[in-house]
Amino acid sequence: MGILEGKKGLILGLANNKSIAWGVAQACHREGAELGFNYLGEQLEKRVRPLAEKVDSTLIESMDVGEDAEMDAFFAKVEEKWGKMDFMIHSIAFANKDALRNPFSQCTREDFQLAMDISAYSFVACAQRAAKIMNDGGSMVTMTYLGAERVIPGYGMMGVAKAALEASTRYLAEDLGKSRGIRVNAVSSGPIRTLAASAVGDFRELMAKSARGSMLGRNVSQDEVGNTTAYLASDLASGVSGEVHYVDAGFHVGAGDPGVEK
Ligand code: NAD
């Protein structure tokens, strides 16, 4: 019997078969969960729907997390179809490329707000809606990166947004944990080649450095992140909340100046 047998969960942020969300979806499906998905716009629906159907999903709906009305409509459909649910995986981020690659001191108000809204606040916005239809003792997981803690060249504004996301994870964990027994965690993955990753400056070099600095001496896979996330979604992690859980994020061995990667 799988560790998610009998559980229903949302996977938010699937774009294509390279997405971290796809690694998570496959692991959760293998472990017995019934899954629901969102997609962003018609273009992505063409890619998301066939993937979601591969893991036997029948709940595949549009949702832009930048729009409150779309979020309300999405969660209303989830409630209509499922009634209650058990877990939610948030694997969503967006920032304008300039905000990652330009010197951070040049970040505009607009770029700062957009990255914060889609990459950090959207987790809070999803959590508040999901909690209303989540069974007590459920689980929420978001995806973060080491750039929240250390300066990673080329990551810029997204590092600042991930710091806010990690802090939001802890505050949500305390709030929903004490009131409802709902656990909230973040998974911090090493770099993986995805659509979102293509916005990061000099990603090839980042992957090479990350592999050298990791405990395992290599980069991690989408499947490894998926397995860790499935564990956090499951009752096996019933005592784990408010944590940033690393999947060999790199730069822990032989790092240069504290807090700045060269
Ligand atoms: P991805 O491009 O496959 O996924 C990002 C998803 O965010 C896409 O599905 C996209 O549609 C969605 N999205 C963006 N704006 C949205 C909006 N307004 N409404 C709804 N959805 C929206 O890339 P990924 O690398 O799988 O990213 C998933 C998560 O993992 C992100 O939070 C990312 O920061 C994080 N992460 C990625 C890496 C990496 O190296 N790829 C490492 C650590 C953490």
Side-chain angles (χ1 to χ4, degrees):
M1 192 173 130
I3 61 174
L4 291 170
E5 207 72 52
K7 295 203 188 284
K8 294 186 175 76
L10 290 176
I11 311 248
L12 308 176
L14 180 61
N16 56 38
N17 65 357
K18 304 278 187 251
S19 294
I20 287 178
W22 181 234
V24 178
Q26 289 174 291
C28 291
H29 174 64
R30 185 194 66 224
E31 295 301 331
E34 185 176 342
L35 301 175
F37 294 84
N38 82 310
Y39 56 84
L40 177 64
E42 276 172 27
Q43 274 304 100
L44 282 182
E45 181 182 6
K46 285 187 208 134
R47 289 184 186 273
V48 171
R49 193 168 286 283
L51 287 173
E53 284 169 357
K54 264 195 193 171
V55 290
D56 303 327
S57 178
T58 55
L59 177 43
I60 310 155
E61 299 288 345
S62 168
M63 175 173 66
D64 179 341
V65 296
E67 301 291 335
D68 282 339
E70 281 200 28
M71 297 191 73
D72 290 341
F74 175 83
F75 280 93
K77 282 177 191 152
V78 177
E79 183 174 19
E80 194 183 309
K81 180 138 182 121
W82 281 351
K84 292 280 184 183
M85 56 181 264
D86 302 288
F87 66 91
M88 177 187 79
I89 314 302
H90 172 274
S91 187
I92 291 174
F94 185 80
N96 283 329
K97 259 189 194 165
D98 284 352
L100 273 67
R101 296 175 179 201
N102 285 350
F104 184 65
S105 61
Q106 304 307 307
C107 187
T108 64
R109 187 185 302 272
E110 208 180 18
D111 282 354
F112 193 102
Q113 286 176 341
L114 178 65
M116 281 295 214
D117 186 23
I118 304 302
S119 313
Y121 178 70
S122 74
F123 185 43
V124 182
C126 289
Q128 65 192 218
R129 289 167 174 83
K132 290 191 182 133
I133 52 171
M134 189 171 273
N135 288 313
D136 289 359
S139 173
M140 301 182 183
V141 183
T142 188
M143 297 296 155
T144 186
Y145 178 60
L146 193 65
E149 297 162 56
R150 304 181 72 92
V151 172
I152 308 284
Y155 204 60
M157 181 56 216
M158 191 56 84
V160 175
K162 291 298 191 195
L165 179 68
E166 291 183 11
S168 301
T169 299
R170 290 185 284 274
Y171 280 94
L172 285 170
E174 193 267 347
D175 175 357
L176 298 174
K178 287 192 171 139
S179 58
R180 303 276 311 283
I182 292 173
R183 297 176 297 102
V184 187
N185 290 288
V187 167
S188 186
S189 159
I192 296 177
R193 232 171 256 294
T194 63
L195 202 61
S198 63
V200 178
D202 214 350
F203 195 69
R204 182 197 293 256
E205 171 64 10
L206 180 61
M207 286 201 78
K209 275 172 60 179
S210 191
R212 284 198 299 274
S214 71
M215 299 295 178
L216 293 169
R218 63 167 173 84
N219 284 306
V220 293
S221 70
Q222 181 191 37
D223 292 341
E224 288 170 324
V225 178
N227 287 336
T228 300
T229 306
Y231 149 74
L232 287 171
S234 81
D235 294 341
L236 285 183
S238 60
V240 183
S241 194
E243 295 280 337
V244 175
H245 206 91
Y246 296 93
V247 182
D248 212 345
F251 300 129
H252 292 299
V253 183
D257 295 345
V260 186
E261 294 308 332
K262 297 242 169 70

